[in-house]
């Protein structure tokens, strides 16, 4: 079975400061990892993914994420947060050893304070 | 994503009523999915379809049924709605013809309230 944990329900950060949203995973095969963002009253939007190669993945809106196999983590980062980054963020995983369905974490509400 | 549309966007209904939520896509993707979102629980998979002839149960299929009427259409039915089916429902699509690890694209969601 595969699973994703987002240990923080809520993350608050001041505008201009770096932000990190944490994600850890558990899979039986190779992990393929995704980050999605959900703005109020909207569907989920794809931000970035790790499939293979460089452990640092760059995505939309200045976000990046670092894949760490030894720590089974895929934390989302941004060097300088914007108020407009305030949203609900979901981490998700597909395993090569599973039925190749996405499993989502419970989500982290990011609030960037002006 | 405008390429994945859901109707209705909001629906209020009563316990015991039959409800159908519809999803259409113009992306030409092979796979389609239905999820429900509840606060603090993330997204949970209800049903998914590899193609018109291939329907599969997800994590929480009890009380729901689906129909893949065409490559582009995937509907979700609640045969007899109950209050704990009150949730935000999302349709999603994914193109797995060249890679099994492509991202999913989501519709805008349907907010369903069962009284």
């Amino acid at each position: 079975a595969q699973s994703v944990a987002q240990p923080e329900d809520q993350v608050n950060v001041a505008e201009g400061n770096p932000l990190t949203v944490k994600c850890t995973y558990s899979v039986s095969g190779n992990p393929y990892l995704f980050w999605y963002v959900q703005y109020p009253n909207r569907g989920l939007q794809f931000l970035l993914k790790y499939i293979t190669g460089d452990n640092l993945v760059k995505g939309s809106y200045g976000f990046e994420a670092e894949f760490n196999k030894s720590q089974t983590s895929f934390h989302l980062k941004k060097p300088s947060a914007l108020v407009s980054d305030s949203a609900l963020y979901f981490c998700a995983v597909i395993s090569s050893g599973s039925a190749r369905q996405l499993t989502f974490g419970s989500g982290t509400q990011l609030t960037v304070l002006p | 994503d405008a390429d994945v549309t859901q109707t209705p966007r909001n629906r209020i209904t009563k316990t015991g009523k039959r409800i159908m939520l519809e999803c259409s896509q113009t992306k030409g993707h092979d796979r389609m999915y239905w999820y429900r979102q509840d606060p603090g629980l993330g997204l949970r998979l209800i049903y998914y379809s590899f193609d018109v002839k291939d329907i599969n149960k997800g994590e929480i299929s009890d009380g729901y049924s689906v129909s893949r009427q065409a490559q582009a259409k995937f509907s979700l039915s609640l045969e007899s709605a109950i209050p704990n089916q009150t949730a935000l429902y999302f349709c999603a699509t994914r193109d797995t013809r060249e890679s099994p690890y492509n991202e999913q694209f989501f519709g805008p969601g349907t907010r369903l309230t069962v009284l």
Side-chain angles (χ1 to χ4, degrees), chain A residues 9 30 32 34 36 38 41-46 49 51 88 90 94-97 99-107, chain B residues 1 9 31 33 35 37-38 40-43 45 48 50 88 90 94 99-109 111:
Chain A
D9 292 335
N30 293 322
Y32 301 90
F34 302 78
Y36 287 83
Q38 184 181 24
N41 302 314
R42 301 285 297 276
L44 278 71
Q45 297 178 29
F46 169 73
K49 66 182 177 183
I51 302 299
L88 186 57
F90 290 97
I94 296 175
S95 166
S96 62
R100 296 179 179 169
Q101 303 307 322
L102 270 177
T103 297
F104 286 86
S106 56
Chain B
D1 192 313
R9 292 294 311 278
R31 295 196 182 188
Y33 305 80
Y35 292 90
Q37 183 182 19
D38 299 277
L41 296 179
L43 274 74
L45 183 62
Y48 59 102
F50 291 166
L88 189 54
F90 287 105
R94 191 155 71 99
S99 168
Y101 307 118
N102 283 335
E103 61 271 23
Q104 289 186 348
F105 292 84
F106 286 81
R111 186 168 296 279

